[in-house]
Amino acid sequence: MVRFGKKLTADQVPEWRGYYINYKLMKKKVKQYGQQLQQGEKDRRRVLKDFSKMLDDQIETIVLFLLEQQGRLASRIEKLGKQRAILAEQPDISAIAELREAYREVGLDLIKLLKFVDLNATGIRKILKKFDKRFSYRFTDYYVSSRSNHPYSQLQQVFKHVGVGAVVGALSRNLADLQERQGSYLSIYDQPASALKDPIIDMINSSVDKLTRSTNFLRFLGQHALIAQEESPSTAGEEEIEDQKYHFVSLMLNLVNTFLYMVNTYIIVPTADDYSVSLGAASTVCGVVIGSMAVAQVFSSVYFSAWSNKSYFKPLVFSSIVLFLGNVCYAMAYDTKSLTVLIVGRLLCGLGSARAVNRRYISDCVPARIRMQASAGFVSASALGMACGPALAGLLQWRFKIYMVTFSQSTLPGWLMAVAWLVYLVWLCISFKEPNRATEADDTQHNRASGQSVDIGQVENGLAQPLLGDSESKQNEDDDDDEEDDSEESPQDSRKPATSIGSAYRLLTPSVKVQLLIYFMLKYAMEILLSESSVITNHYFNWNTSSVAIFLAILGLTVLPINAVVGTYISNMFEDRQLLMASQITLLVGIIFSFKVTSTYSVIQYVASALITFVSAEVLEGVNLSLLSSVMSSRLSRGTYNGGLLSTEAGTLARVVADCTITAAGYLGIGSLLNVTLLPSLVICAASIACTFLTYNSLF
């Protein structure tokens, strides 16, 4: 990878050179300020004032030039529009082709302007981060909040490209209208969006999407997986290497593993309380039964993540075998009359959790061009499994015996999943293709060698790079003496993945810690809702197993449509941090509404509060993981101790704590269970909102 100073110099449009942020000068100024503070030549207040003024001047230069270029592009589009009006009355095929090429030239210039905005926005981010690090001062929070929220904000022009959107829309509309559609020149508003095939439009839309961090449904759904989205390959050789590693059936096997595991997790929820009672325990022991799977997953996530450094096939085989044995133990607990066997079976199921392998396979072995689709598939498989699990439990209402083995609504989930994992194991052994590790090593060498400057003419390759990202770019080689790496580690270690939980923890900034707290909170709230649903609904409403199963299945089925609405519309209207705060507040309202405060507790109150809680938690999860991926160190995007593992551990710990809370609260009586278990959710949610407020200005 190339340091940012060098990348900035290499990627500049030569004739625009004087309008980019002077990153080299500002970096030297930061160093001088540090020396002046140490020598007592300036106080901190004067340094902050001088640095703010210098950065304001830099941004003003950028913005005025940006406005000038926007005006020129708008003027060119206006002139071409007059020509298009003439051609509409007197069509001329050759003239239309020439006009279309003229629009495409404007499109290429627009892409250059969007890349200009990207480079400057990245420079502003990095110099603010460098200033904060040298002076141990949260200057970024003050600067961003005071400038971006001001009515005369110039910072918004850079970070939100105010005004460019109109140019993008006008150009895309006119260029699309000129395309040949079987002799029809209807407006694009009369055509489906998929009809816009011009590569220039695709390039512009790709650039705008990355620049604004806006997203469609697929991208929003994929963010739930927290799978590293690396830069797209810039050479044919790298694409060939990725294609060699990719195997569609193997990807499908990973997604099926994800689906079956989620079914396995939730298929016992409607019947766990009855199963516990049949073995002589209290109904609230269902918390321990359900949570024991999460306890084991805390440990399995680590060793599966480490194992995936060497193989994908072997850990998947091990996972399938352990899950088969775990489900057999779970089913046999009834005939052995042993609660211990029941819990051991769930522990084995947790030890077979290969979600870390599933994530890692998508991140490492799926080509970048379809990685987002694969990530969305991972999340969709999880959501469908979550809905199918309780639904299947509701269907398994038979009771019979075969050779002293009892099959009932309590044991059939175990037997069904044991058969499913056995079939999956056979399919896995027949069809899975282990990626060539030598190919992955070659890929790594390719990536290291690909840190070359990108010619402005190769604009399409430039669009493959994530805009406004926090990549750990290098500085100019001649400035290495005063270059400080953006991470908290030494420069030699700045690009190495974390090698232990301790080193991963040291990479957690306050913003990352808050996002992990939010993830813990939402998983805790969801687990409380789901795990105690059978006990609560039976106590207050006398619901049977089928009713609970239908209720939980409906909750699970809301995941995809809610994410479709948020990903397609809402996320394009508001910033991620705004959605984060709003969804947390909505979740808090759902939790408060769930409390039993009167002598009666109605079905309407329970169902409505559950829907509010569950839906807001689902929205929050997508936004939370999106922000987590943007604020965490790039070193946490790979290796064993990656961001996906950290989020998994946070969520799994939340489930463990929630399920233990249910069982512990059961000793106070079923009547107190609801309010006692909701109280921690309320406190943690309020704390996460307060922490979000404190770090709000750093979430950009």
Side-chain angles (χ1 to χ4, degrees):
M1 297 178 68
V2 182
R3 290 189 180 178
F4 178 72
K6 187 173 183 179
K7 176 180 174 62
L8 178 62
T9 302
D11 288 358
Q12 288 179 359
V13 179
E15 57 268 27
W16 296 355
R17 197 170 298 276
Y19 302 101
Y20 289 86
I21 184 173
N22 195 335
Y23 185 76
K24 180 178 178 181
L25 171 65
M26 299 196 73
K27 188 186 66 173
K28 289 183 176 180
K29 280 289 187 181
V30 170
K31 183 178 180 180
Q32 290 175 7
Y33 289 146
Q35 295 172 345
Q36 290 170 349
L37 280 175
Q38 289 178 355
Q39 298 169 4
E41 297 178 11
K42 286 186 178 181
D43 58 18
R44 183 176 291 255
R45 186 180 183 85
R46 179 62 182 272
V47 167
L48 294 176
K49 182 178 179 181
D50 289 352
F51 184 73
S52 298
K53 185 179 184 306
M54 182 172 62
L55 190 53
D56 287 341
D57 291 342
Q58 292 279 321
I59 292 174
E60 184 174 276
T61 300
I62 295 167
V63 169
L64 292 177
F65 178 75
L66 176 62
L67 294 173
E68 179 186 353
Q69 293 302 312
Q70 288 176 17
R72 290 183 178 180
L73 290 174
S75 178
R76 290 169 63 185
I77 293 174
E78 182 184 9
K79 292 179 180 178
L80 293 175
K82 294 177 180 178
Q83 297 179 32
R84 189 172 69 88
I86 295 174
L87 289 174
E89 297 179 358
Q90 299 178 346
D92 184 331
I93 299 300
S94 61
I96 290 175
E98 292 177 1
L99 185 59
R100 185 164 59 246
E101 288 303 313
Y103 271 115
R104 297 187 72 192
E105 289 179 5
V106 176
L108 290 173
D109 287 340
L110 175 58
I111 293 170
K112 285 165 56 177
L113 186 61
L114 291 172
K115 194 168 184 180
F116 168 84
V117 178
D118 160 50
L119 286 172
N120 284 293
T122 304
I124 294 169
R125 288 176 182 274
K126 286 186 170 293
I127 202 64
L128 285 169
K129 186 176 181 181
K130 190 174 292 295
F131 187 90
D132 283 355
K133 181 180 177 182
R134 177 173 284 275
F135 298 107
S136 300
Y137 187 77
R138 295 178 64 184
F139 174 75
T140 298
D141 287 3
Y142 157 74
Y143 189 85
V144 172
S145 62
S146 61
R147 268 62 176 177
S148 63
N149 298 325
H150 195 277
Y152 302 139
S153 172
Q154 293 182 327
L155 197 62
Q156 287 288 69
Q157 290 278 353
V158 179
F159 283 108
K160 301 301 290 182
H161 67 281
V162 179
V164 177
V167 179
V168 171
L171 179 62
S172 300
R173 182 183 69 83
N174 285 284
L175 186 56
D177 279 348
L178 286 172
Q179 290 187 106
E180 295 179 358
R181 298 192 184 94
Q182 299 178 348
S184 173
Y185 294 98
L186 296 175
S187 168
I188 63 168
Y189 301 116
D190 299 320
Q191 305 294 325
S194 59
L196 308 182
K197 300 296 184 181
D198 195 292
I200 294 297
I201 296 177
D202 291 340
M203 291 164 65
I204 292 172
N205 290 338
S206 174
S207 182
V208 171
D209 281 345
K210 292 170 185 174
L211 183 60
T212 60
R213 297 195 313 175
S214 63
T215 180
N216 55 23
F217 169 50
L218 189 65
R219 183 179 297 275
F220 182 81
L221 195 62
Q223 288 168 346
H224 284 62
L226 200 64
I227 293 171
Q229 301 296 324
E230 303 288 344
E231 295 182 1
S232 299
S234 58
T235 67
E238 289 178 38
E239 289 182 346
E240 183 179 352
I241 290 171
E242 286 196 332
D243 288 338
Q244 289 175 4
K245 291 191 294 181
Y246 174 59
H247 184 233
F248 176 75
V249 176
S250 299
L251 172 61
M252 289 302 301
L253 283 163
N254 272 275
L255 296 180
V256 171
N257 183 283
T258 299
F259 171 78
L260 288 178
Y261 186 78
M262 293 303 291
V263 172
N264 210 148
T265 300
Y266 290 100
I267 194 172
I268 72 158
V269 172
T271 58
D273 57 335
D274 290 338
Y275 205 168
S276 300
V277 171
S278 68
L279 297 178
S283 61
T284 52
V285 174
C286 69
V288 172
V289 175
I290 297 171
S292 56
M293 191 171 180
V295 171
Q297 190 179 347
V298 172
F299 304 97
S300 66
S301 296
V302 178
Y303 68 72
F304 270 116
S305 183
W307 202 350
S308 63
N309 290 326
K310 300 179 181 179
S311 173
Y312 302 102
F313 175 68
K314 292 179 180 178
L316 289 176
V317 170
F318 176 79
S319 165
S320 304
I321 294 173
V322 172
L323 280 158
F324 169 77
L325 295 175
N327 282 287
V328 170
C329 288
Y330 182 84
M332 290 298 297
Y334 184 86
D335 292 309
T336 58
K337 304 296 181 183
S338 173
L339 183 64
T340 302
V341 174
L342 184 72
I343 294 176
V344 167
R346 290 296 286 178
L347 285 171
L348 285 173
C349 290
L351 291 175
S353 171
R355 287 174 66 82
V357 180
N358 305 143
R359 273 195 179 101
R360 189 72 178 274
Y361 184 87
I362 295 174
S363 178
D364 293 348
C365 303
V366 175
R369 65 179 182 273
I370 60 171
R371 193 172 299 142
M372 183 56 71
Q373 291 93 320
S375 301
F378 175 86
V379 177
S380 300
S382 298
L384 291 174
M386 183 179 181
C388 286
L392 287 173
L395 297 175
L396 302 176
Q397 298 298 303
W398 307 296
R399 184 179 179 87
F400 56 92
K401 275 193 173 185
I402 300 178
Y403 297 113
M404 305 298 292
V405 177
T406 303
F407 296 87
S408 65
Q409 67 173 14
S410 297
T411 63
L412 278 171
W415 290 120
L416 177 64
M417 293 312 304
V419 172
W421 284 113
L422 188 60
V423 172
Y424 174 79
L425 178 61
V426 174
W427 183 23
L428 182 72
C429 294
I430 294 173
S431 303
F432 190 86
K433 180 181 178 182
E434 182 76 83
N436 188 343
R437 292 285 164 173
T439 301
E440 292 190 31
D442 292 342
D443 190 20
T444 302
Q445 293 176 1
H446 251 296
N447 290 335
R448 290 176 179 173
S450 64
Q452 303 171 8
S453 61
V454 181
D455 186 9
I456 291 299
Q458 297 172 316
V459 67
E460 187 170 0
N461 289 338
L463 290 176
Q465 302 175 5
L467 303 186
L468 298 192
D470 284 332
S471 60
E472 301 298 325
S473 304
K474 297 180 182 178
Q475 190 76 25
N476 282 327
E477 294 179 356
D478 58 344
D479 294 327
D480 283 347
D481 57 331
D482 60 325
E483 170 68 18
E484 293 183 24
D485 193 89
D486 287 336
S487 71
E488 297 298 327
E489 306 288 331
S490 61
Q492 302 95 301
D493 298 330
S494 61
R495 286 171 289 157
K496 296 179 181 178
T499 55
S500 66
I501 289 290
S503 61
Y505 181 80
R506 287 192 293 272
L507 292 171
L508 302 184
T509 63
S511 298
V512 175
K513 291 177 182 177
V514 169
Q515 297 310 308
L516 289 175
L517 171 63
I518 293 172
Y519 193 69
F520 178 93
M521 177 271 294
L522 69 91
K523 286 297 183 183
Y524 181 93
M526 290 176 68
E527 189 70 10
I528 288 290
L529 170 65
L530 298 174
S531 294
E532 71 178 14
S533 58
S534 182
V535 178
I536 294 297
T537 54
N538 181 58
H539 176 72
Y540 289 108
F541 319 127
N542 293 318
W543 282 7
N544 57 26
T545 300
S546 296
S547 299
V548 177
I550 293 172
F551 170 69
L552 294 178
I554 291 173
L555 284 183
L557 289 174
T558 63
V559 173
L560 293 180
I562 289 299
N563 282 311
V565 172
V566 176
T568 306
Y569 303 105
I570 299 179
S571 64
N572 291 322
M573 298 166 60
F574 302 97
E575 297 179 9
D576 281 352
R577 58 182 182 173
Q578 293 174 326
L579 291 176
L580 185 79
M581 185 64 81
S583 54
Q584 285 184 88
I585 294 173
T586 307
L587 178 57
L588 183 65
V589 171
I591 294 172
I592 294 173
F593 191 39
S594 300
F595 277 89
K596 181 181 181 297
V597 293
T598 62
S599 58
T600 59
Y601 194 63
S602 66
V603 173
I604 294 177
Q605 180 183 350
Y606 177 76
V607 172
S609 62
L611 281 172
I612 293 172
T613 301
F614 189 82
V615 168
S616 57
E618 276 299 322
V619 173
L620 179 59
E621 182 175 0
V623 180
N624 168 243
L625 292 180
S626 173
L627 282 170
L628 180 59
S629 65
S630 65
V631 298
M632 73 180 181
S633 168
S634 61
R635 292 180 58 189
L636 293 175
S637 65
R638 54 191 183 276
T640 301
Y641 301 94
N642 53 64
L645 175 64
L646 293 178
S647 64
T648 298
E649 293 291 87
T652 304
L653 285 172
R655 292 173 54 203
V656 171
V657 174
D659 291 324
C660 290
T661 302
I662 293 172
T663 299
Y667 289 101
L668 301 176
I670 300 297
S672 303
L673 179 65
L674 181 64
N675 287 351
V676 171
T677 53
L678 286 175
L679 188 59
S681 295
L682 182 67
V683 173
I684 300 172
C685 187
S688 70
I689 292 174
C691 292
T692 302
F693 179 79
L694 293 174
T695 59
Y696 187 78
N697 290 324
S698 63
L699 302 177
F700 71 101

